[in-house]
Amino acid sequence: MSRDPEHNRLYSCVKTTVMPFLKCVLGLQIQNAERLPPTGAVIVAANHVSNFDPLVVAAAAPRQMSFLAKVELFRVPILSFMLRRVNAIPIRRHAADRRALLAAIAALQAGRALLLFPEGTRSKSGEIQEGKRGAAMLAVKNHARVIPVHVSGTFRIWPHLWRRRVVVRFGEPLDIEPFLKLRIPSKYLYARIGSEIMNRIKELRDAHHD
């Protein structure tokens, strides 16, 4: 079975299999997916409130993506086998993980799409949290475009699955070039870009509530 991350047959098979469940049970709606560039290095940056979020964003995206998943999931043999074959990158939380960082960089340098959750962990309140600098740093160092994404309807998804309406809304690409002209230290640059990414996600949330 193909392991090419851009043309992964198992990835396609899983997406095709779960899509009827997501649409019929969770009422999945996908908005403006055409804003995701079909080729080239791109970071898909989404809010994070549920373990369902990676699944629904991956299903909504019109191209295959690599994504980070907590290393604990890879300790379950069957789950680990599946995750590694659908472009998942294991990452240790609450610690610098050089191996995961290098794998993420490799994905972007190969011109792939990388799904990230800039908040770093799920929001326990359902509200959008402050973003960390990782997504911004990867975007700057790899000249990657950033597509903000807002996911709604997955917070506290159990037990009322049938009453859900999950919406994945893709935003306009974020141009980081103006930020690069600021000539400020890297840590401040990453903070500015990271803040803008989260602001774009909030704007998508607010538009969804209109």
Side-chain angles (χ1 to χ4, degrees):
M1 185 168 288
S2 172
R3 293 291 302 279
D4 179 353
E6 287 289 339
H7 303 283
N8 184 322
R9 285 181 285 176
L10 179 59
Y11 189 115
S12 296
C13 181
V14 171
K15 179 175 178 177
T16 300
T17 301
V18 303
M19 188 61 84
F21 166 80
L22 296 177
K23 288 189 172 182
C24 295
V25 177
L26 299 186
L28 176 63
Q29 296 183 14
I30 305 166
Q31 299 182 4
N32 303 318
E34 71 281 356
R35 290 173 172 170
L36 177 62
T39 59
V42 60
I43 293 172
V44 177
N47 63 306
H48 194 18
V49 297
S50 167
N51 286 328
F52 271 86
D53 295 334
L55 178 62
V56 297
V57 177
R63 63 184 285 193
Q64 295 186 3
M65 298 185 290
S66 297
F67 60 97
L68 301 176
K70 58 185 180 182
V71 71
E72 290 85 354
L73 296 176
F74 291 81
R75 294 171 184 161
V76 182
I78 295 177
L79 184 57
S80 175
F81 178 85
M82 290 293 294
L83 285 171
R84 293 183 187 278
R85 282 157 179 77
V86 292
N87 306 340
I89 299 169
I91 184 170
R92 296 192 305 272
R93 298 177 298 169
H94 314 303
D97 191 335
R98 180 173 174 78
R99 181 177 297 181
L101 176 61
L102 291 175
I105 290 173
L108 292 170
Q109 289 182 343
R112 300 171 193 156
L114 177 67
L115 172 60
L116 295 178
F117 297 97
E119 294 158 289
T121 188
R122 285 176 293 149
S123 169
K124 294 181 180 180
S125 68
E127 295 299 319
I128 294 176
Q129 306 173 96
E130 183 178 350
K132 300 185 184 301
R133 295 183 295 178
M137 181 271 290
L138 286 169
V140 170
K141 288 186 174 295
N142 296 281
H143 303 284
R145 289 164 288 185
V146 180
I147 303 296
V149 170
H150 183 258
V151 183
S152 64
T154 56
F155 183 58
R156 294 179 179 171
I157 200 165
W158 305 105
H160 306 297
L161 293 178
W162 289 95
R163 300 179 185 177
R164 292 288 167 172
R165 185 170 76 97
V166 173
V167 179
V168 180
R169 174 175 286 184
F170 292 80
E172 295 284 356
L174 170 62
D175 182 9
I176 65 172
E177 291 302 319
F179 294 94
L180 301 181
K181 298 175 182 178
L182 295 176
R183 300 183 182 277
I184 57 179
S186 294
K187 66 177 182 178
Y188 298 115
L189 175 64
Y190 300 154
R192 289 282 296 273
I193 296 175
S195 178
E196 182 61 22
I197 291 172
M198 300 313 298
N199 286 339
R200 295 293 185 92
I201 295 173
K202 290 175 182 177
E203 288 174 1
L204 291 169
R205 175 201 61 190
D206 295 342
H208 175 66
H209 288 165
D210 288 346

